[in-house]
Amino acid sequence: MSTLIHHRVEAAHQGMNPTVICRVRSGWVVLGDVQFLPGYSLLLPDPVVADLNVLTMIQRTNFLQDMAIVGDALLAVTGALRINYEILGNSEAALHAHIFPRYATEPEEKRQKPVWFYDWESARVFDAERDGQLMQEMAEAIQRYQDSEYGSSTR
C-alpha cells in the first residue's frame, strides 16, 4: 500500500520533504501542511507500518516516547497551554501521530473542542521561510529532550 505517509517518509529520506523538523528514533518529525495552530506537527514512523499494534513493544515505546518528546518541545518553544495527541489512521491507513499545541488564546468555542472543528481549508499553509525558525527551535528542543537522562517534561 502506498499512502501519503509513505510518500512523505520517502521524500524525507531523499531530503525532499521541506516540512521535516528532524529525525528521531522512531521516524520523522514534520510540521503540518496547515498551521491553524502554530507548531502543529506529526510524527511519521520509519519504516512506515499499518498501525501501532504491528510494532514490537520496544518499537511502540520508542514511537510513543518520541511523540511525547515532540509535545515537550512544543510546550517549550510555543508557550502552548497543553498538547493534544491523536493517532487515527482512518484517512491515511498508515501509522502517524498528530501533535497539536493548544493555546489559551484560541477562541473559547474552539479551544474546548477537537481540532477537527477548525476550518482546515482556510488555515494558513506551511511556509518554509516563515516557519523555519520555529522548526529550528523545535529541532533543538527535541534534541535536548532526547539527550536528557529522563526525557522529562518541561513542567
Side-chain angles (χ1 to χ4, degrees):
M1 174 188 278
S2 187
T3 66
L4 178 60
I5 306 307
H6 288 86
H7 293 292
R8 296 293 172 92
V9 169
E10 182 57 33
H13 277 282
Q14 296 174 5
M16 309 259 313
N17 183 339
T19 64
V20 168
I21 295 169
C22 63
R23 180 82 159 94
V24 292
R25 285 176 306 182
S26 65
W28 300 90
V29 180
V30 300
L31 210 59
D33 290 345
V34 293
Q35 289 293 296
F36 56 91
L37 292 168
Y40 161 49
S41 303
L42 295 97
L43 175 58
L44 310 178
D46 190 358
V48 178
V49 296
D51 56 57
L52 190 67
N53 301 95
V54 302
L55 297 176
T56 67
M57 195 55 66
I58 290 171
Q59 292 169 321
R60 291 176 191 188
T61 300
N62 287 340
F63 186 84
L64 295 171
Q65 186 174 35
D66 286 343
M67 183 181 72
I69 286 172
V70 174
D72 287 338
L74 282 166
L75 285 170
V77 303
T78 66
L81 180 64
R82 73 178 43 82
I83 305 296
N84 290 168
Y85 304 90
E86 294 195 27
I87 298 175
L88 302 170
N90 299 325
S91 297
E92 292 295 328
L95 177 62
H96 60 287
H98 299 269
I99 307 161
F100 299 104
R102 301 305 299 261
Y103 298 94
T105 56
E106 291 177 64
E108 183 74 21
E109 69 276 2
K110 294 209 189 311
R111 189 175 61 237
Q112 294 185 356
K113 294 181 180 175
V115 298
W116 309 108
F117 285 90
Y118 272 89
D119 180 3
W120 287 51
E121 298 297 319
S122 65
R124 69 182 172 110
V125 297
F126 167 81
D127 178 277
E129 188 173 321
R130 181 198 64 225
D131 297 323
Q133 182 171 344
L134 173 62
M135 294 170 73
Q136 180 63 37
E137 290 172 4
M138 285 185 62
E140 291 168 1
I142 289 167
Q143 186 64 53
R144 282 193 305 274
Y145 285 109
Q146 287 178 322
D147 291 346
S148 72
E149 183 176 348
Y150 301 106
S152 62
S153 172
T154 56
R155 296 179 195 208

